[in-house]
Amino acid sequence: MKVLSIQSAVAHGHVGNSAAVFPLQRIGVEVVPVHTVNFSNHTGYGAWRGPLIAPADVAEVLLGVEERGVFPQIDAVLSGYQGGVGIGDVIIDAVRRVKAANPAAVYACDPVMGNAKSGCFVAPEIPVLLRDRVVPVADIITPNQFELGFLTGTEPASIESTLASVDLARAMGPSTVLVTSVERPDREEGTIEMLAVDSAGAWLVTTPHLPFKANGSGDVTAALFTVHYVGTRNAAVALERTASSVFDLIETTYKSGERELQLVESQEYYAHPRMQFSAKQVR
């Protein structure tokens, strides 16, 4: 499998391509990373250095990749945080050209906007861009519950209301939706859930909720789910594998006491998921 991943990159730590590339390589996926920024570290530190790469320069890199004859080999295009409207246009155009070269290719979009605790942390025009232009051309989207609510103009909370919101999102274009954090009021204390929905049904997986927020964990989640789903076309299996690997990554990081994801230290969890969580069909 070959994935074209258009995301940010950092020198220190693991977010964007600096989080997604290695886990995919560790499970045998060839990755073509195209960077949209080249920062010293993620912006959660409050200070960083390095350039935001101009959309025209990102487009030039993509053109060069296309000219090498790579686009017909691409099985999936993956995108995450989008720093401006211009880069959204570049990604949409790249998806179009990849699909023209390989009609079987899929586009997986992680519509990064924010979360329930911090609200939106992107520029005001980005959520609108994602909702109106990017998500409609995606095959797979991986929003958290907050982002799902914005995309659909709803307030998902229960399983039923979250499923209804997912149905609205799927009506926008994507056939497959992974909700990366379902925090329903009636869930078991100390747990968090993920929900995967496609045309075959809907599956929920429950994991312990660790009191720790690791920047980049969503990027790993989107990457692993995409390749597991593309490889199996089975949402339940993709969900179980992803939940297993990501939980062990976050737990390893939490126990280490380090701020940054322990991405390399957790590599066996990508290659050989323990499959300690079972997905329950809810529709």
Side-chain angles (χ1 to χ4, degrees), residues 4 32-35 53 55-68 71 97:
L4 174 63
V32 182
V34 175
H35 303 327
I53 300 173
D57 292 332
V58 177
E60 277 290 292
V61 173
L62 286 162
L63 179 59
V65 172
E66 183 179 25
E67 289 171 343
R68 302 290 79 77
F71 279 11
R97 284 152 47 201

Side-chain angles (χ1 to χ4, degrees), residues 97-172:
R97 284 152 47 201
V98 166
K99 288 192 170 191
N102 178 16
V106 303
Y107 170 39
C109 169
D110 184 7
V112 178
M113 302 177 204
N115 55 60
K117 289 183 179 178
S118 62
C120 273
F121 50 63
V122 297
E125 64 269 19
I126 299 303
V128 177
L129 166 76
L130 291 167
R131 181 191 64 201
D132 295 348
R133 298 185 54 208
V134 181
V135 166
V137 303
D139 302 288
I140 301 169
I141 59 171
T142 59
N144 59 35
Q145 204 168 18
F146 172 85
E147 292 159 344
L148 175 66
F150 178 86
L151 290 172
T152 58
T154 61
E155 295 183 3
S158 65
I159 293 298
E160 292 74 19
S161 62
T162 302
L163 283 169
S165 297
V166 167
D167 289 342
L168 291 173
R170 293 182 70 233
M172 295 167 65

Side-chain angles (χ1 to χ4, degrees), residues 167-184:
D167 289 342
L168 291 173
R170 293 182 70 233
M172 295 167 65
S175 58
T176 303
V177 177
L178 173 69
V179 186
T180 58
S181 59
V182 178
E183 299 187 49
R184 56 187 171 115

